[in-house]
Amino acid sequence: MDRPGRPGRPSALRAPEATRSNALHAGAWWLWALGLATAASRTANPLLLALLVGVAGYVVAARRTDAPWARSYAAFVRLGLAVLVIRLLFSVLLGSPVPGSHPLFTLPEVPLPNWAAGIRIGGRVTAEQLVFALYDGAKLATLLICVGAANALANPARLLKSLPGALYEAGVAVVVAMTFAPNMVADAVRLRTARRLRGRTAGGFGALLRIGLPVLEGALERSVAVAASMDARGYGRTAQVPPLVRHTTTALTLGGLLGVCAGSYGLLATAGAGYGLPLLGAGLAAAVGGLWLGGRRSVRTRYRPDRWGVRAWLVAGSGAAVAALMAVADAVDPGALHPGVVPLTAPALPLWPAAGVLLGLLPAWIAPAPAPLSVPVSAPVSLVEESGP
């Protein structure tokens, strides 16, 4: 039996150190993050939204690596804060349909023609409309932060490798789009560090202009290198399939996607709760069948495919559990998840929905832990990648 503080066989309950062979499936991270985002879409309670942001941030801090895409979480947090501020500014400048009895200040109102009735610029600003805009902006910011958590935790290359063959072409574009911004952020940080080591200023508009050109040049060179490597590996080859299989694939895929859209609408709408779940299940089954048949056109192999193990099921299940519990809470007690604005009341933290959100912390203990960051001594910082004076 191992003793605490001494090396030995790791405990079965302790998450192992992440390696290439036991790294968590990238799809599990996305399903977990989408579960948190779904929960955020079902509530406007700022306390629950703040709890969701805290859960996502804690898991990212505990399980992200030092890869370039893992540094994009801070950018998504800033984007969420920017969306919140913009939503408040729009409410102040353009007004809000929410009636209010607690005026804060009055802006000069711009007169508009008769055909623009119902629209105003300026005017009275009330506390009710600002609180409503705050709740609305916080919901959208939380959605963006949950997506940022998935970008920071999931390896986009491994996610692309795990996609079905029918989605490989579209998946390449999506993965390139998801990795472009994190790589640009990493390049900008590296070039700013080089400027500081040269004794030059790394902030200000002038430094931004001098850094922007090398960053865009590096992104273009990286895209050309990816295209060349794909061409060298024979990307784009397709196999011949019978016309009946092609038509069946198209019918199943389109019909499945329509079923998923109709089922999702039924789940979101109160009147369609009875048919929403069966229609969603039938649509998912048809879409999966279409994707399986469509994958027969793709003649590609997978080297060391990622396995969907027990830990991946637990991570994805924790996100699904958070979304399901929030949906149940919205149906049972919608007033707790949507605090009133008129009359203006202070939001309260509902206990069991908050406990359900805490289930999203499960990946922080069961997902494989990232390897400790090791900085090689013989790797100097490159000072020649910046162009210009």
Side-chain angles (χ1 to χ4, degrees):
M1 180 180 299
D2 298 329
R3 296 182 180 178
R6 294 187 179 182
R9 186 178 179 181
S11 173
L13 299 178
R14 183 181 304 171
E17 184 176 305
T19 61
R20 185 177 180 86
S21 59
N22 71 344
L24 196 69
H25 199 286
W29 285 123
W30 272 100
L31 291 177
W32 167 80
L34 291 177
L36 297 185
T38 303
S41 67
R42 303 303 296 262
T43 179
N45 192 319
L47 301 179
L48 289 176
L49 294 175
L51 189 60
L52 285 168
V53 172
V55 167
Y58 182 82
V59 175
V60 169
R63 287 298 180 262
R64 71 173 175 179
T65 63
D66 58 332
W69 60 81
R71 306 171 188 171
S72 61
Y73 182 72
F76 277 91
V77 173
R78 297 189 189 98
L79 180 61
L81 293 177
V83 167
L84 180 59
V85 172
I86 291 173
R87 180 66 180 88
L88 289 173
L89 289 178
F90 277 5
S91 178
V92 171
L93 297 177
L94 303 180
S96 175
V98 177
S101 58
H102 297 80
L104 298 178
F105 53 89
T106 302
L107 296 176
E109 188 170 354
V110 178
L112 297 176
N114 295 330
W115 54 266
I119 303 175
R120 69 177 178 88
I121 301 177
R124 191 181 65 165
V125 178
T126 63
E128 287 83 357
Q129 76 177 64
L130 285 184
V131 171
F132 177 79
L134 177 65
Y135 292 170
D136 197 24
K139 180 188 295 187
L140 182 55
T142 305
L143 292 174
L144 291 173
I145 291 174
C146 292
V147 173
N151 276 278
L153 293 170
N155 188 332
R158 299 174 77 96
L159 180 63
L160 175 63
K161 187 175 66 171
S162 303
L163 284 177
L167 297 178
Y168 192 67
E169 289 83 357
V172 171
V174 173
V175 170
V176 170
M178 288 192 306
T179 56
F180 183 75
N183 286 326
M184 284 190 63
V185 172
D187 290 344
V189 171
R190 177 165 42 84
L191 291 174
R192 291 182 64 184
T193 303
R195 287 185 63 87
R196 291 193 187 98
L197 293 177
R198 287 177 173 179
R200 299 174 182 175
T201 58
F205 186 72
L208 180 62
L209 293 178
R210 294 184 179 92
I211 290 175
L213 182 59
V215 168
L216 294 177
E217 182 181 357
L220 179 61
E221 291 178 353
R222 187 165 50 249
S223 301
V224 172
V226 170
S229 64
M230 293 170 63
D231 182 68
R233 289 171 171 82
Y235 174 77
R237 294 178 299 170
T238 57
Q240 295 294 331
V241 294
L244 180 61
V245 175
R246 292 202 306 268
H247 298 329
T248 305
T249 301
T250 303
L252 286 176
T253 304
L254 292 180
L257 293 178
L258 289 176
V260 169
C261 294
S264 301
Y265 175 79
L267 290 178
L268 295 175
T270 305
Y275 68 84
L277 188 59
L279 193 57
L280 179 62
L284 287 175
V288 170
L291 294 178
W292 178 76
L293 287 177
R296 298 175 61 181
R297 292 183 66 248
S298 177
V299 286
R300 67 186 182 97
T301 59
R302 295 181 182 178
Y303 174 68
R304 298 172 65 181
D306 294 340
R307 297 180 179 179
W308 190 281
V310 177
R311 297 182 186 275
W313 280 112
L314 291 175
V315 169
S318 65
V322 173
L325 290 175
M326 193 67 71
V328 172
D330 189 19
V332 173
D333 189 10
L337 270 62
H338 302 276
V341 177
V342 180
L344 194 61
T345 57
L349 181 64
L351 295 181
W352 71 270
V357 172
L358 294 179
L359 291 177
L361 291 173
L362 190 61
W365 290 283
I366 64 174
L373 179 61
S374 59
V375 181
V377 180
S378 59
V381 179
S382 175
L383 300 181
V384 296
E385 297 189 20
E386 180 186 1
S387 63

